[in-house]
């Protein structure tokens, strides 16, 4: 498999174009497209999710499916304007399996090698946006930025040091985890509380 060198640029438009040619792992073979981040280049708040979902892959935009709609609601309740947030994913291609005897594409968690293969794209985004607060949504995002030993369950909702960066990190669950929760009301309230911690950490 031929790899693609990630351009040494912080021009998001150039990175967004270049990522469509990425062959650094095999996920591009089944996905419709790479889905790059969106939002203001110098946003003080950046959020990193896991991978694009089915709707994101089809439409080419981040957080436009069910998890994105829940995130929109939670941002409002946390007093955060989504238009001012830079949103992206740790992995840029949709990983899925097909439903047995059906056409639905069911999300699969990226492997460690797939996370690592996409890491440089995320690093370029971080260098371009330079957020004051980085919110990690779920284990894949946390693993990409903080390493595989980091546990969201142990440190969610805390303001954490961000090594080698002029900013802080807040880790929380992915909004899809709220959708899957047995007690969705309680899970949603905890998620919003974590986002409020991030909002209070903004300069």
């Amino acid at each position: 498999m031929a790899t693609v060198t990630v351009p040494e640029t912080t021009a998001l438009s150039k990175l967004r174009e270049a990522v469509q040619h990425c062959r650094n792992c095999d996920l591009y073979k089944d996905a419709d497209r790479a889905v790059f981040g969106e939002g203001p280049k110098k946003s003080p708040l950046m959020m990193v999710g896991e991978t694009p979902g089915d709707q994101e892959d089809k439409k080419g935009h981040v957080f436009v499916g069910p998890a994105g709609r829940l995130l929109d609601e939670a941002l409002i309740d946390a007093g955060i304007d989504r238009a001012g947030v830079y949103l992206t994913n740790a992995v840029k291609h949709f990983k899925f399996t097909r439903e047995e005897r059906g056409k639905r594409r069911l999300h699969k968690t990226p492997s460690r090698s797939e996370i690592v293969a996409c890491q440089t794209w995320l690093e370029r985004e971080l260098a371009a946006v330079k957020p004051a607060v980085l919110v990690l949504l779920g284990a894949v995002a946390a693993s990409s930025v903080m390493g595989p030993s980091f546990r969201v369950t142990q440190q969610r909702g805390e303001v954490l040091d961000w090594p080698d960066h002029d900013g802080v990190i807040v880790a929380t669950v992915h909004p899809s985890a709220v959708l899957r929760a047995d007690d969705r009301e309680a899970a949603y309230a905890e998620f919003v509380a974590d986002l409020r911690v991030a909002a209070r950490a903004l300069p």
Side-chain angles (χ1 to χ4, degrees), residues 146-199:
M146 302 295 278
S149 64
F150 185 88
R151 294 290 176 266
V152 173
T153 52
Q154 295 175 7
Q155 293 186 275
R156 67 174 294 183
E158 299 178 17
V159 178
L160 306 171
D161 290 335
W162 186 4
D164 303 319
H165 289 80
D166 292 327
V168 296
I169 284 176
V170 176
T172 185
V173 297
H174 193 278
S176 62
V178 178
L179 293 174
R180 296 191 303 266
D182 292 333
D183 187 343
R184 188 181 293 185
E185 185 175 345
Y188 178 78
E190 291 174 355
F191 182 55
V192 171
D194 292 343
L195 296 183
R196 285 178 177 151
V197 170

Side-chain angles (χ1 to χ4, degrees), residues 26-68:
D26 286 335
L27 294 183
Y28 77 93
K29 293 180 179 179
D30 296 318
D32 291 347
R33 59 180 58 80
V35 182
F36 202 67
E38 297 174 331
K41 180 174 180 179
K42 294 302 180 184
S43 172
L45 180 59
M46 181 171 174
M47 296 186 173
V48 181
E50 183 173 291
T51 71
D54 180 70
Q55 291 302 308
E56 289 79 7
D57 184 50
K58 290 176 179 176
K59 297 177 181 178
H61 298 288
V62 291
F63 287 98
V64 292

Side-chain angles (χ1 to χ4, degrees), residues 59-191:
K59 297 177 181 178
H61 298 288
V62 291
F63 287 98
V64 292
R69 290 191 290 275
L70 185 138
L71 178 61
D72 285 347
E73 182 181 345
L75 287 171
I76 291 170
D77 288 342
I80 298 170
D81 180 8
R82 173 169 169 160
V85 179
Y86 187 91
L87 288 164
T88 193
N89 285 299
V91 175
K92 308 307 185 193
H93 285 101
F94 179 33
K95 183 175 183 177
F96 62 91
T97 56
R98 292 202 178 271
E99 187 179 42
E100 189 175 355
R101 285 184 249 154
K103 294 184 178 179
R104 283 182 61 210
R105 302 188 301 175
L106 305 177
H107 163 271
K108 283 189 70 177
T109 301
S111 68
R112 181 63 189 166
S113 64
E114 289 159 348
I115 295 169
V116 171
C118 223
Q119 224 159 8
T120 309
W121 294 107
L122 178 59
E123 289 169 358
R124 293 284 190 273
E125 286 179 290
L126 292 169
V129 179
K130 295 180 180 176
V133 179
L134 179 66
V135 176
L136 303 176
L137 300 170
V140 169
S143 174
S144 179
V145 175
M146 302 295 278
S149 64
F150 185 88
R151 294 290 176 266
V152 173
T153 52
Q154 295 175 7
Q155 293 186 275
R156 67 174 294 183
E158 299 178 17
V159 178
L160 306 171
D161 290 335
W162 186 4
D164 303 319
H165 289 80
D166 292 327
V168 296
I169 284 176
V170 176
T172 185
V173 297
H174 193 278
S176 62
V178 178
L179 293 174
R180 296 191 303 266
D182 292 333
D183 187 343
R184 188 181 293 185
E185 185 175 345
Y188 178 78
E190 291 174 355
F191 182 55

